[in-house]
Amino acid sequence: MYYDEKGLIKMKKIISVKDISLDYKERDIFKKMKGSNGSIGIENISFDVEEGNIFSIIGLNGSGKTSTLKCILGLMKPDKGEIEVFGKKGLRGKDFEKVGYLPEISYYPKSMKLIDLMRYYGELYNIPKNKLDKKIDIILTKLDLISRKKDRLEKFSKGMLQKVGIAQAILNDPKLLFLDEPMSGLDPLAREMVIEIILELKSKGTTIFFNTHILEDVANIADKVAIINKGKLVEVLDMKKIELKQDNFLLKDYFIKTMIELRTN
């Protein structure tokens, strides 16, 4: 946060996305697939994410939510456009020690014990060994996994594995956290648990970028919401400004109405 020349408060940009496009038709893997024409992944998308905000992308299946997230993380390279994270072009080197990431689908060795998996991620994040086990216990307690820390992952349900993914994503006290469908497979109690963790991280200054289909969660915690359709940005909603203007605004109804209008136009 800083003040401009007029003395008005301005939020620092943690992520800046400028006119990025990703064309799957030009990717070698799609050219080699028999009968595949590929598709436009994302097209001319631009938005900013401010420090300490919760920013959510919503859209139908295949709209480009995960592709956008992966481009920001550097897991996919856009065909054009620019991405700045922490004020620099792309993430690199030690930047990743400040970033947490929960992918849409996580894969962990089934024979591995939870405590060993968490220690592995702790080493990746360069967390000091004399502090690591204490941090692990605190996080596993918050996610109601502490009693299972010595169990092998093959014994875990889908919902429990999702909580494991969230645990590893926040282990390093990230300044920037990416969550791709964080509520997938979670029961109502676990969902509330994760929402509390997200809000706690925000209160400590963490910037959170997440994709989800659960619009109720988005409406309750997001500061800004980007709507994407068929790889294109439709609009970015400032939830605080909308709430001041409309007492009975329902994100779910607005989203459905917008999607129907786009289909008929």
Side-chain angles (χ1 to χ4, degrees), residues 171-192:
L171 182 60
N172 60 330
D173 297 319
K175 293 190 177 297
L176 177 57
L177 176 62
F178 293 90
L179 301 171
D180 199 352
E181 296 292 348
M183 308 303 179
S184 177
L186 297 183
D187 59 45
L189 183 61
R191 270 179 59 198
E192 286 300 314

Side-chain angles (χ1 to χ4, degrees), residues 3 22 58 105 111 123 131 162 168 250 259:
Y3 294 89
L22 180 67
I58 61 176
I105 301 174
S111 60
E123 291 179 10
K131 297 180 180 180
Q162 185 72 354
Q168 64 79 19
L250 293 175
M259 292 298 105

Side-chain angles (χ1 to χ4, degrees), residues 11-244:
M11 300 300 291
K12 181 180 178 182
K13 295 176 185 177
I14 292 293
I15 299 171
S16 182
V17 175
K18 299 176 183 178
D19 296 319
I20 66 168
S21 293
L22 180 67
D23 189 347
Y24 286 125
K25 289 185 291 187
E26 299 302 317
R27 305 277 154 157
D28 288 341
I29 186 170
F30 286 101
K31 288 180 180 179
K32 293 175 182 176
M33 289 172 63
K34 186 176 180 181
S36 173
N37 294 320
S39 64
I40 300 294
I42 47 181
E43 187 174 358
N44 298 324
I45 286 182
S46 299
F47 58 80
D48 296 321
V49 180
E50 296 168 338
E51 184 177 30
N53 270 8
I54 298 177
F55 188 96
S56 177
I57 293 184
I58 61 176
L60 302 176
N61 291 331
S63 60
K65 302 185 299 295
T66 296
S67 295
T68 301
L69 186 153
K70 286 183 176 180
C71 284
I72 297 170
L73 276 166
L75 299 175
M76 299 182 77
K77 186 177 179 180
D79 297 305
K80 73 167 192 171
E82 293 184 357
I83 298 171
E84 290 187 358
V85 185
F86 299 128
K88 300 178 292 184
K89 286 189 177 181
L91 290 165
R92 60 190 69 183
K94 288 191 173 292
D95 289 339
F96 288 99
E97 293 179 15
K98 300 183 288 184
V99 174
Y101 172 45
L102 170 72
E104 183 179 8
I105 301 174
S106 301
Y107 297 98
Y108 307 114
K110 291 183 179 180
S111 60
M112 202 171 196
K113 293 181 180 179
L114 174 56
I115 183 64
D116 294 330
L117 180 76
M118 294 299 291
R119 285 171 177 164
Y120 169 77
Y121 278 105
E123 291 179 10
L124 289 179
Y125 290 132
N126 287 322
I127 298 173
K129 288 186 177 181
N130 61 335
K131 297 180 180 180
L132 181 56
D133 279 1
K134 184 177 180 181
K135 285 179 67 67
I136 290 172
D137 282 355
I138 290 171
I139 289 170
L140 294 185
T141 299
K142 287 180 180 180
L143 287 161
D144 197 25
L145 290 171
I146 190 67
S147 64
R148 307 296 300 270
K149 74 175 186 177
K150 293 184 179 179
D151 288 351
R152 299 188 188 279
L153 298 177
E154 62 189 358
K155 298 180 180 179
F156 285 32
S157 67
K158 179 182 178 181
M160 290 172 66
L161 288 172
Q162 185 72 354
K163 291 196 289 183
V164 170
I166 293 166
Q168 64 79 19
I170 65 174
L171 182 60
N172 60 330
D173 297 319
K175 293 190 177 297
L176 177 57
L177 176 62
F178 293 90
L179 301 171
D180 199 352
E181 296 292 348
M183 308 303 179
S184 177
L186 297 183
D187 59 45
L189 183 61
R191 270 179 59 198
E192 286 300 314
M193 203 180 294
V194 172
I195 287 172
E196 286 180 12
I197 289 171
I198 290 173
L199 292 175
E200 180 185 355
L201 288 167
K202 180 190 174 182
S203 72
K204 295 178 180 178
T206 300
T207 304
I208 297 143
F209 186 108
F210 79 109
N211 301 337
T212 183
H213 286 296
I214 304 176
L215 301 187
E216 179 186 351
D217 294 339
V218 176
N220 287 336
I221 66 175
D223 295 294
K224 291 189 177 180
V225 179
I227 299 177
I228 290 183
N229 183 59
K230 295 182 179 179
K232 295 181 180 180
L233 181 67
V234 178
E235 62 182 315
V236 177
L237 304 174
D238 187 321
M239 299 303 288
K240 290 180 181 177
K241 289 182 179 179
I242 290 174
E243 287 168 4
L244 288 172

